[in-house]
Amino acid sequence: MAPALVLVPAAFASFILAFGTGVEFVCFTSLQPLLGGSQKLDRDTRQEWLIALQDPGILAALAWDLGLVLLFVGQHSLMAADPVKTWMAQHFGVLQRSLYVACTALALQVYYHVLGLGEPLALKSPRALRLFEHLRHPVCVELLTVLWAVPRLGLDRILLAALFTLYLGLAHGLDQQDLHYLRAQLQRKLQLLAGPNIGDAE
């Protein structure tokens, strides 16, 4: 009963998060921000779109975007197909998943290269890089949850969970500068979220 009491709210929260992310994605990809809040395409706007779609530069950019989307979708769909997974399991064994992740990372590197973004970490500020040096990846919290949130803990499981907890804890060394940076980022996010509401109120 106890695991169900924990897993059901967690699953529901995960669903709400995924649903909210989908809603945000639809809002982001809609035409409304491009049209200044207008929900209708008037004649002038349609004419502007027709002219834009006749521009070779815009068409080339759309072609590149379409190619990058197809690269991402193709790599994920192809390597997730049962025949491909069976072939990879026969030839690579336990390295099958690692190869899948490596190909995904390669697809992302192509994306960064085409857009001229270079190394992802090079886009981060020095304060953000300093923060990354003082803590483990946030996904490690999920790892600790998986290791500890079980109905029964055997001796081997307790040893594994304790060692990983110690490993992650020793590497977590935030100081005052990191905390100030995190607080500033939180305030910035809150201001961005409150911006439209403030504008509407004025």
Side-chain angles (χ1 to χ4, degrees):
M1 181 62 67
L5 294 177
V6 174
L7 294 178
V8 170
F12 182 73
S14 177
F15 169 77
I16 295 298
L17 178 61
F19 182 80
T21 303
V23 171
E24 290 291 334
F25 178 75
V26 171
C27 294
F28 175 76
T29 56
S30 67
L31 293 177
Q32 184 172 354
L34 300 177
L35 304 177
S38 174
Q39 297 182 355
K40 295 183 179 180
L41 288 172
D42 55 23
R43 182 174 303 176
D44 293 337
T45 303
R46 287 196 298 268
Q47 187 65 26
E48 291 176 0
W49 276 97
L50 292 175
I51 295 174
L53 292 178
Q54 294 176 1
D55 187 338
I58 294 180
L59 293 178
L62 290 176
W64 275 110
D65 291 342
L66 179 61
L68 292 174
V69 171
L70 291 178
L71 173 65
F72 177 82
V73 173
Q75 181 264 323
H76 277 68
S77 301
L78 179 64
M79 299 191 71
D82 290 335
V84 176
K85 289 195 295 185
T86 301
W87 182 86
M88 291 176 60
Q90 293 175 350
H91 290 79
F92 298 98
V94 295
L95 296 178
Q96 171 193 353
R97 191 64 184 177
S98 299
L99 181 61
Y100 176 85
V101 174
C103 291
T104 302
L106 180 61
L108 291 176
Q109 288 297 324
V110 172
Y111 170 78
Y112 274 88
H113 176 73
V114 170
L115 296 184
L117 298 179
E119 176 64 29
L121 287 179
L123 303 176
K124 301 296 183 180
S125 66
R127 298 180 66 185
L129 294 176
R130 185 180 186 277
L131 174 68
F132 295 159
E133 294 176 354
H134 294 169
L135 81 167
R136 296 297 182 188
H137 195 281
V139 76
C140 293
V141 177
E142 300 177 8
L143 174 62
L144 293 181
T145 303
V146 170
L147 290 176
W148 289 105
V150 292
R152 297 181 180 179
L153 284 172
L155 182 59
D156 55 345
R157 184 62 173 262
I158 292 178
L159 180 61
L160 179 65
L163 289 177
F164 269 105
T165 302
L166 181 63
Y167 167 71
L168 297 176
L170 291 177
H172 191 84
L174 299 181
D175 55 18
Q176 289 296 324
Q177 294 187 39
D178 296 323
L179 295 177
H180 288 317
Y181 172 75
L182 291 173
R183 187 177 296 111
Q185 292 299 310
L186 177 60
Q187 292 298 326
R188 180 184 177 189
K189 300 291 185 183
L190 294 176
Q191 291 176 1
L192 290 175
L193 292 175
N197 295 329
I198 295 176
D200 295 340
E202 295 177 352

